[in-house]
Amino acid sequence: DKAKMTEAKEFLQKALLQFPTNSEIVSCMTDVYLVLEESPEPMIDILKGAIEADPQNPQLKIGLGAVYAELQKFDEAIVMFDEAIALEPNNINLYLNKAYTYTRQGDAFGKIANEMSWNDENRGGVLAQQLEAYAASIEPFEQAHQLNPNDINTVEFLKSICFQVRNVKPEYMQKYEHYNALFKEMRGM
């Protein structure tokens, strides 16, 4: 309920004034902004300060990555997810966050391209950036798949992304065929 989340936000803001480097408060505050669908921009400096005070805390880096992704600062988000992965290399959710961020970046490029005129000379470059972002998501999706090979959702994402970029490189078509077959096998088709 939005009223309770707004109340939680006010409470957490007061708590942050007293404990500005408390990672639990900072993490909760970030979640509240995202749930309320408010711009989480105010959290950037707070999260940076908390990370400076506790640089080994992956949750803070995940939080800052999520804020950056929400603000469509995708490159900054990827850096934060990479730093979190360095701290927790076996955390499947970190690889998924990174992969989803790349796909969101690709979607953002696609939206830009769709708003351009078909004969705009820059449209091809924007579409190429879309495919690059989608292709970049393959590696973290594959790392997530290695950590949990039985997750059909990750396999489905891999199948879909590899299909999107299948004409970029022959290896992507091979990956598509592999993950499509695996997906069918997992679904019992």
Side-chain angles (χ1 to χ4, degrees):
D1 152 332
K2 189 169 182 157
K4 289 190 188 254
M5 291 305 287
T6 301
E7 189 177 311
K9 178 182 162 189
E10 291 169 5
F11 174 80
L12 290 168
Q13 284 172 328
K14 290 176 186 171
L16 273 175
L17 292 174
Q18 290 185 329
F19 308 101
T21 59
N22 182 300
S23 63
E24 295 297 320
I25 296 170
V26 171
S27 181
C28 288
M29 187 71 184
T30 303
D31 291 342
V32 166
Y33 270 99
L34 297 174
V35 168
L36 287 173
E37 296 181 353
E38 295 179 5
S39 173
E41 185 109 28
M43 290 303 301
I44 292 175
D45 288 337
I46 294 168
L47 283 160
K48 284 181 177 180
I51 289 169
E52 198 172 299
D54 189 4
Q56 298 302 308
N57 186 329
Q59 295 305 320
L60 295 173
K61 295 174 189 240
I62 294 166
L64 185 53
V67 167
Y68 281 140
E70 186 66 25
L71 296 171
Q72 295 196 358
K73 296 180 176 185
F74 300 113
D75 294 336
E76 292 93 331
I78 297 299
V79 169
M80 286 297 102
F81 293 135
D82 281 339
E83 288 183 17
I85 287 168
L87 296 170
E88 289 188 355
N90 293 320
N91 185 334
I92 188 172
N93 292 320
L94 299 178
Y95 295 103
L96 292 173
N97 281 332
K98 182 178 176 181
Y100 294 142
T101 300
Y102 276 123
T103 60
R104 286 182 66 192
Q105 184 179 40
D107 292 345
F109 282 127
K111 183 177 179 188
I112 292 167
N114 287 337
E115 293 171 357
M116 297 172 90
S117 168
W118 283 93
N119 57 1
D120 187 319
E121 63 185 40
N122 296 317
R123 190 169 192 276
V126 173
L127 289 171
Q129 288 177 300
Q130 178 187 34
L131 293 176
E132 285 175 27
Y134 286 156
S137 75
I138 295 171
E139 181 184 342
F141 273 130
E142 287 183 326
Q143 290 167 319
H145 175 61
Q146 287 176 356
L147 290 170
N148 186 0
N150 298 320
D151 181 21
I152 193 168
N153 295 319
T154 303
V155 172
E156 185 173 21
F157 269 108
L158 278 162
K159 174 184 80 100
S160 297
I161 291 297
C162 291
F163 182 79
Q164 290 279 353
V165 299
R166 70 193 180 284
N167 294 325
V168 175
K169 290 183 183 176
E171 71 186 68
Y172 294 148
M173 177 56 109
Q174 293 166 351
K175 286 178 184 268
Y176 164 71
E177 291 168 350
H178 168 75
Y179 290 115
N180 187 43
L182 182 58
F183 180 72
K184 287 179 179 179
E185 178 185 316
M186 292 173 88
R187 290 202 55 200
M189 299 171 108

